[in-house]
Short mmCIF file of all heavy atoms in Angstrom, two decimals:
data_model
loop_
_atom_site.label_atom_id
_atom_site.label_comp_id
_atom_site.label_asym_id
_atom_site.label_seq_id
_atom_site.Cartn_x
_atom_site.Cartn_y
_atom_site.Cartn_z
N VAL A 60 -2.15 -7.82 -11.88
CA VAL A 60 -2.43 -7.12 -10.62
C VAL A 60 -1.49 -5.93 -10.44
O VAL A 60 -1.84 -4.95 -9.79
CB VAL A 60 -2.29 -8.10 -9.43
CG1 VAL A 60 -2.42 -7.38 -8.09
CG2 VAL A 60 -3.33 -9.22 -9.53
N LEU A 61 -0.32 -5.99 -11.04
CA LEU A 61 0.70 -4.96 -10.84
C LEU A 61 0.56 -3.79 -11.81
O LEU A 61 1.33 -2.83 -11.72
CB LEU A 61 2.09 -5.59 -10.96
CG LEU A 61 2.37 -6.72 -9.96
CD1 LEU A 61 3.73 -7.35 -10.24
CD2 LEU A 61 2.29 -6.23 -8.52
N THR A 62 -0.40 -3.84 -12.73
CA THR A 62 -0.66 -2.73 -13.63
C THR A 62 -1.61 -1.74 -12.97
O THR A 62 -2.30 -2.07 -12.00
CB THR A 62 -1.27 -3.21 -14.95
OG1 THR A 62 -2.59 -3.73 -14.70
CG2 THR A 62 -0.40 -4.31 -15.59
N ASP A 63 -1.69 -0.52 -13.52
CA ASP A 63 -2.59 0.49 -12.95
C ASP A 63 -4.03 0.01 -12.95
O ASP A 63 -4.71 0.05 -11.92
CB ASP A 63 -2.48 1.80 -13.72
CG ASP A 63 -1.16 2.52 -13.47
OD1 ASP A 63 -0.40 2.10 -12.58
OD2 ASP A 63 -0.90 3.50 -14.18
N GLU A 64 -4.51 -0.44 -14.09
CA GLU A 64 -5.91 -0.87 -14.18
C GLU A 64 -6.15 -2.14 -13.38
O GLU A 64 -7.15 -2.26 -12.66
CB GLU A 64 -6.30 -1.10 -15.65
CG GLU A 64 -7.75 -1.52 -15.83
CD GLU A 64 -8.15 -1.68 -17.29
OE1 GLU A 64 -7.28 -1.49 -18.17
OE2 GLU A 64 -9.32 -2.02 -17.55
N GLY A 65 -5.23 -3.08 -13.50
CA GLY A 65 -5.40 -4.34 -12.78
C GLY A 65 -5.38 -4.17 -11.28
O GLY A 65 -6.14 -4.82 -10.55
N PHE A 66 -4.53 -3.26 -10.80
CA PHE A 66 -4.49 -3.05 -9.36
C PHE A 66 -5.76 -2.36 -8.87
O PHE A 66 -6.23 -2.64 -7.77
CB PHE A 66 -3.26 -2.26 -8.93
CG PHE A 66 -3.18 -2.12 -7.44
CD1 PHE A 66 -2.78 -3.19 -6.66
CD2 PHE A 66 -3.57 -0.96 -6.80
CE1 PHE A 66 -2.74 -3.10 -5.28
CE2 PHE A 66 -3.53 -0.85 -5.43
CZ PHE A 66 -3.12 -1.92 -4.66
N LEU A 67 -6.31 -1.45 -9.66
CA LEU A 67 -7.57 -0.82 -9.26
C LEU A 67 -8.65 -1.87 -9.08
O LEU A 67 -9.40 -1.83 -8.09
CB LEU A 67 -8.01 0.22 -10.28
CG LEU A 67 -9.39 0.84 -10.03
CD1 LEU A 67 -9.45 1.57 -8.70
CD2 LEU A 67 -9.77 1.79 -11.17
N HIS A 68 -8.74 -2.84 -9.99
CA HIS A 68 -9.73 -3.91 -9.85
C HIS A 68 -9.49 -4.70 -8.56
O HIS A 68 -10.43 -5.04 -7.84
CB HIS A 68 -9.71 -4.83 -11.06
CG HIS A 68 -10.34 -4.26 -12.29
ND1 HIS A 68 -11.67 -3.95 -12.37
CD2 HIS A 68 -9.80 -3.91 -13.48
CE1 HIS A 68 -11.94 -3.45 -13.56
NE2 HIS A 68 -10.83 -3.41 -14.25
N TYR A 69 -8.22 -4.99 -8.29
CA TYR A 69 -7.91 -5.71 -7.06
C TYR A 69 -8.27 -4.88 -5.84
O TYR A 69 -8.87 -5.40 -4.88
CB TYR A 69 -6.43 -6.09 -7.02
CG TYR A 69 -6.04 -6.74 -5.71
CD1 TYR A 69 -6.52 -7.99 -5.36
CD2 TYR A 69 -5.20 -6.08 -4.81
CE1 TYR A 69 -6.19 -8.58 -4.14
CE2 TYR A 69 -4.85 -6.65 -3.60
CZ TYR A 69 -5.36 -7.91 -3.28
OH TYR A 69 -5.04 -8.48 -2.07
N ALA A 70 -7.93 -3.61 -5.87
CA ALA A 70 -8.25 -2.74 -4.74
C ALA A 70 -9.75 -2.71 -4.50
O ALA A 70 -10.22 -2.71 -3.34
CB ALA A 70 -7.73 -1.32 -5.00
N GLN A 71 -10.53 -2.69 -5.57
CA GLN A 71 -11.99 -2.70 -5.41
C GLN A 71 -12.48 -4.01 -4.83
O GLN A 71 -13.50 -4.05 -4.13
CB GLN A 71 -12.65 -2.39 -6.75
CG GLN A 71 -12.44 -0.95 -7.18
CD GLN A 71 -12.90 -0.64 -8.59
OE1 GLN A 71 -12.87 -1.51 -9.47
NE2 GLN A 71 -13.32 0.59 -8.83
N ALA A 72 -11.73 -5.09 -5.06
CA ALA A 72 -12.10 -6.38 -4.47
C ALA A 72 -11.87 -6.41 -2.97
O ALA A 72 -12.47 -7.21 -2.25
CB ALA A 72 -11.30 -7.51 -5.14
N ILE A 73 -10.99 -5.52 -2.46
CA ILE A 73 -10.69 -5.52 -1.03
C ILE A 73 -11.18 -4.25 -0.33
O ILE A 73 -10.77 -3.94 0.78
CB ILE A 73 -9.18 -5.73 -0.77
CG1 ILE A 73 -8.34 -4.58 -1.32
CG2 ILE A 73 -8.73 -7.07 -1.37
CD1 ILE A 73 -6.87 -4.67 -0.93
N GLY A 74 -12.07 -3.50 -1.02
CA GLY A 74 -12.77 -2.43 -0.33
C GLY A 74 -12.28 -1.02 -0.56
O GLY A 74 -12.60 -0.12 0.21
N PHE A 75 -11.52 -0.78 -1.66
CA PHE A 75 -11.01 0.55 -1.97
C PHE A 75 -11.38 0.92 -3.40
O PHE A 75 -11.59 0.05 -4.25
CB PHE A 75 -9.49 0.60 -1.83
CG PHE A 75 -9.00 0.38 -0.43
CD1 PHE A 75 -8.84 -0.91 0.06
CD2 PHE A 75 -8.70 1.45 0.40
CE1 PHE A 75 -8.38 -1.12 1.36
CE2 PHE A 75 -8.25 1.25 1.69
CZ PHE A 75 -8.10 -0.03 2.17
N SER A 76 -11.42 2.22 -3.67
CA SER A 76 -11.67 2.67 -5.04
C SER A 76 -11.08 4.06 -5.22
O SER A 76 -10.47 4.63 -4.32
CB SER A 76 -13.17 2.64 -5.34
OG SER A 76 -13.40 2.74 -6.74
N PHE A 77 -11.27 4.59 -6.45
CA PHE A 77 -10.75 5.92 -6.77
C PHE A 77 -11.41 6.98 -5.91
O PHE A 77 -12.50 6.79 -5.36
CB PHE A 77 -10.97 6.23 -8.25
CG PHE A 77 -12.36 5.94 -8.75
CD1 PHE A 77 -13.41 6.83 -8.53
CD2 PHE A 77 -12.63 4.77 -9.45
CE1 PHE A 77 -14.70 6.57 -8.98
CE2 PHE A 77 -13.91 4.50 -9.92
CZ PHE A 77 -14.94 5.40 -9.69
N GLU A 78 -10.75 8.12 -5.79
CA GLU A 78 -11.24 9.17 -4.91
C GLU A 78 -12.57 9.73 -5.38
O GLU A 78 -12.97 9.56 -6.54
CB GLU A 78 -10.19 10.28 -4.80
CG GLU A 78 -8.91 9.80 -4.13
CD GLU A 78 -7.95 10.94 -3.86
OE1 GLU A 78 -7.18 11.28 -4.77
OE2 GLU A 78 -7.99 11.49 -2.74
N CYS A 79 -13.27 10.40 -4.48
CA CYS A 79 -14.62 10.89 -4.74
C CYS A 79 -14.67 11.70 -6.03
O CYS A 79 -13.96 12.71 -6.17
CB CYS A 79 -15.08 11.75 -3.56
SG CYS A 79 -16.73 12.44 -3.74
N LEU A 80 -15.48 11.23 -6.98
CA LEU A 80 -15.67 11.89 -8.28
C LEU A 80 -14.34 12.10 -9.00
O LEU A 80 -14.18 13.03 -9.79
CB LEU A 80 -16.39 13.23 -8.10
CG LEU A 80 -17.76 13.15 -7.39
CD1 LEU A 80 -18.35 14.53 -7.22
CD2 LEU A 80 -18.70 12.22 -8.13
N HIS A 81 -13.37 11.24 -8.70
CA HIS A 81 -12.03 11.29 -9.30
C HIS A 81 -11.28 12.59 -8.98
O HIS A 81 -10.35 12.97 -9.69
CB HIS A 81 -12.10 11.12 -10.82
CG HIS A 81 -12.60 9.77 -11.24
ND1 HIS A 81 -11.78 8.67 -11.37
CD2 HIS A 81 -13.86 9.34 -11.56
CE1 HIS A 81 -12.49 7.63 -11.76
NE2 HIS A 81 -13.75 8.01 -11.87
N GLN A 82 -11.67 13.24 -7.90
CA GLN A 82 -11.03 14.49 -7.51
C GLN A 82 -10.08 14.25 -6.34
O GLN A 82 -10.47 13.69 -5.32
CB GLN A 82 -12.07 15.53 -7.11
CG GLN A 82 -13.05 15.90 -8.23
CD GLN A 82 -12.33 16.49 -9.43
OE1 GLN A 82 -11.57 17.45 -9.31
NE2 GLN A 82 -12.60 15.92 -10.60
N HIS A 83 -8.82 14.70 -6.49
CA HIS A 83 -7.84 14.52 -5.43
C HIS A 83 -7.68 15.81 -4.64
O HIS A 83 -7.48 16.88 -5.22
CB HIS A 83 -6.48 14.10 -5.99
CG HIS A 83 -5.40 14.00 -4.95
ND1 HIS A 83 -5.43 13.04 -3.96
CD2 HIS A 83 -4.30 14.76 -4.72
CE1 HIS A 83 -4.38 13.21 -3.18
NE2 HIS A 83 -3.68 14.24 -3.61
N LEU A 84 -7.77 15.70 -3.32
CA LEU A 84 -7.56 16.84 -2.44
C LEU A 84 -6.21 16.70 -1.75
O LEU A 84 -5.83 15.63 -1.31
CB LEU A 84 -8.68 16.92 -1.40
CG LEU A 84 -10.10 17.09 -1.93
CD1 LEU A 84 -11.09 17.06 -0.78
CD2 LEU A 84 -10.23 18.39 -2.71
N GLY A 85 -5.50 17.79 -1.64
CA GLY A 85 -4.21 17.76 -0.97
C GLY A 85 -3.07 17.50 -1.93
O GLY A 85 -3.24 16.99 -3.03
N ALA A 86 -1.87 17.86 -1.48
CA ALA A 86 -0.68 17.70 -2.31
C ALA A 86 -0.25 16.23 -2.34
O ALA A 86 -0.39 15.52 -1.35
CB ALA A 86 0.44 18.57 -1.77
N PRO A 87 0.28 15.77 -3.48
CA PRO A 87 0.79 14.40 -3.52
C PRO A 87 2.03 14.25 -2.66
O PRO A 87 2.77 15.22 -2.42
CB PRO A 87 1.12 14.19 -5.01
CG PRO A 87 1.39 15.57 -5.52
CD PRO A 87 0.46 16.47 -4.76
#
Side-chain angles (χ1 to χ4, degrees):
V60 174
L61 301 175
T62 67
D63 289 351
E64 181 178 1
F66 184 75
L67 174 61
H68 285 295
Y69 175 68
Q71 290 171 331
I73 64 173
F75 295 84
S76 195
F77 48 81
E78 295 187 275
C79 180
L80 304 178
H81 295 274
Q82 299 299 306
H83 176 67
L84 299 177

